[in-house]
Structures are given as structure tokens and as C-alpha cells.
Amino acid sequence: MSMKKMHESASQRQGELTHFDQAGQAHMVDVGAKNETHRIAVASGTIRMKPETLAIIQSGTAKKGDVLGIARIAAIMAAKRTSDLIPLCHPLALTRVAVDFSIDASASSVTCTAQVETYGKTGVEMEALTAVQVGLLTVYDMCKAVDRGMVMMDVRVMEKHGGKSGDWVA
């Protein structure tokens, strides 16, 4: 296939999957012709647990240490390594990764929210989603000795800004 045809087949068409060429082969999307813009993505997800587990997290008495502090660092590290984990993701120079955890005592849950930013040619939704999922996995890892029944749920992109498609809010 010629380079021109490869570029044409890699261009995004509304409603089509972009990581496959016309022959159905997986490829990394060509973003070379795209404009660099400020890109922002926000994702969130929740982990539900026993009230006793949540109490341990809140009191800071988990055997492995500060659960949410360590989960925050893990989430930030994960955002930075997304292209190493997801085969067709572009490696990006992130300009900001902010991770927050909120506790809902009535639902016995912790919600992780990640905001990821870059100035580039492709979005950061995958980095935000990866940060959230690894943050929740870290909470699970640190608390599994007392609660193996924790459930991670509702991991999703909440909003994205920048790029040709503009803004999107869930």
C-alpha cells in the first residue's frame, strides 16, 4: 500500500474505528497532520467496599500505609505510562496529571477522578482512564487483605476538551 493510501485510510471518518486500516489490519493512527491544541480529559471511577474497609482507609491504619496517597502516586505514574500498556496509544508529553479521591461514607465507596492535560496532536482520554483504573486497583491491592469483595465500577470519561472534535461532556 502506498504512503498516500495509508494516510488516507488512517484519516478519521465519523462513526468508523480509527485503529484499523481498510484491510482490517491494526495500526497506530497517523496524527501528523493534526493541529497541536491544549487537550484535557477528565475520567472517574468508583470502588465500593465494606464500611469497615472504608473506615481503615479514612483512619490511615491500613498495614501498607496511606492508601489514598499511594493510590494517587500510582494513578499519576499510570497516566505517564499509558502508551506502554495500550498497544496503539501514542506516547505523549503530559503537561499535567491531577488525581483526586473522594469518599462517600453512605455508599461505602471511594471515587477516583483524574484530569490529564497535554499540548499536542491527540487527546488524553486513555491516560485519564488508565490513571483512574490504576488508582482504583491500588486501593484494592492495599485493602484486599481485609476485603476481597471490593467492586470497581463506573469507570468512564467524564469530559474532554481540545482537538478537531472540540468539547464533549458526559
Side-chain angles (χ1 to χ4, degrees):
M1 179 182 285
S2 73
M3 291 304 286
K4 182 179 178 184
K5 283 187 178 183
M6 284 180 68
H7 181 71
E8 288 171 358
S9 67
S11 66
Q12 184 174 0
R13 293 170 294 272
Q14 190 67 8
E16 294 184 17
L17 297 176
T18 58
H19 287 86
F20 296 95
D21 64 17
Q22 291 173 336
Q25 300 294 317
H27 70 94
M28 185 180 239
V29 176
D30 180 359
V31 298
K34 293 173 89 175
N35 292 326
E36 287 193 354
T37 63
H38 186 204
R39 314 275 184 146
I40 303 169
V42 178
S44 70
T46 300
I47 186 166
R48 191 179 63 231
M49 62 198 67
K50 295 177 187 174
E52 305 82 50
T53 308
L54 186 61
I56 290 169
I57 291 171
Q58 289 179 294
S59 69
T61 59
K63 287 185 179 181
K64 292 185 178 182
D66 175 12
V67 173
L68 299 184
I70 293 168
R72 179 175 291 106
I73 297 300
I76 292 167
M77 290 174 63
K80 293 172 16 178
R81 301 290 305 265
T82 298
S83 67
D84 292 337
L85 300 170
I86 309 297
L88 301 177
C89 274
H90 292 84
L92 302 176
L94 303 180
T95 57
R96 180 171 186 257
V97 179
V99 177
D100 186 46
F101 290 91
S102 59
I103 294 173
D104 182 343
S106 65
S108 192
S109 65
V110 175
T111 296
C112 177
T113 303
Q115 179 170 324
V116 180
E117 299 183 31
T118 193
Y119 187 83
K121 295 179 178 231
T122 189
V124 287
E125 295 92 338
M126 293 305 299
E127 288 73 13
L129 288 165
T130 301
V132 166
Q133 196 66 54
V134 170
L136 297 176
L137 286 168
T138 303
V139 171
Y140 183 92
D141 179 54
M142 294 188 70
C143 298
K144 70 181 184 258
V146 295
D147 187 356
R148 292 200 186 272
M150 290 175 279
V151 176
M152 289 167 270
M153 57 195 169
D154 300 328
V155 175
R156 60 186 266 183
V157 174
M158 301 304 295
E159 57 187 275
K160 62 85 61 193
H161 304 280
K164 184 177 169 183
S165 63
D167 297 342
W168 179 86
V169 177

